[in-house]
Amino acid sequence: MTTRFDRNVKTIPEAIQTMLGFATDIRPSGSKPPDDAYLWFRGINADHLNLRPGAVWRTGYVERPPLVELAQRSGRFYDSGEIGNWDTWGTYYAAQHYGVPTRLLDWTESFMAALFFAFDGAKKDSHPCVWVMDPSAFNHAVCGYEGIVSPENNPELNIWLPGQVEKVHEDESHDDPTVIYRNNLPLAIYPRHGNSRIRSQDGFFTIHGRSREPIENVVLIECPDPDKVLIRIRFECSEVDPVKESLGLLGVRRSTIYPDLGSYVTELKETYGWGKAACP
């Protein structure tokens, strides 16, 4: 399924060139490195999937009960301060990390990591995609702040937490009264890198608010020049294995994206075909 944001490619070199072209297009006039555009990337393994997180696209899903369960019972599995009260940012990040549906959407600073996610689990003719976003421009359009906001250092962002998000809030920034945080819209946030996967994947998040619109629709509505905020690099190749092999040659493997022993063993299975063998 194509969109107005699509830039169609067939190979990794084409994808890289397209990404760099977008970075050049949105760079301030006359600027030179190191003042290049700052970009986030999100890989998706099929082109029919949009930019909505798990807690948003699931019909009738209620966040609070599983988050309370996670906060109350997770301590028996490990000794860590990562998960605390159910309605905190640390618990919310951990929920996303371990697979509980949230309003968080994963992004990365690494284009190569995004390519891995795009082709991981991709099937023939599924058209893997990498979304490319200027998060500073996105935030400027939705709240007036041209930059990424850290929830831990900006208590005004608590209006996106599960305990408050259902109430309408439009709060001024304590640093700049021209910045208005509106929790009906998504926001690009800078999470504390408290777990290994966020660190290894150079991870960041957008967080949805009360609106269920995918981010691409929000960009079309809120951004004066949508094509300078968001594009989607869409692979038209019908076979995905050659591209995955190319990523492996570039050092982009499961064990570098998920740095743990279980991921390494999964990588071995993929390499040697253990998972494809039929039972005798």
Side-chain angles (χ1 to χ4, degrees), residues 5 22 26 39 132-135 137-139 141 219 223-231:
F5 296 107
F22 178 66
I26 67 174
L39 300 176
V132 184
M133 181 173 71
D134 179 345
F138 180 76
N139 275 356
V219 168
C223 300
D225 195 349
D227 297 310
K228 289 196 172 183
V229 178
L230 186 72
I231 64 168

Side-chain angles (χ1 to χ4, degrees), residues 63-81:
E63 285 187 302
R64 178 169 179 156
L67 289 172
V68 170
E69 290 280 344
L70 182 70
Q72 296 301 105
R73 300 172 68 95
S74 60
R76 61 181 173 160
F77 299 110
Y78 68 105
D79 182 19
S80 171

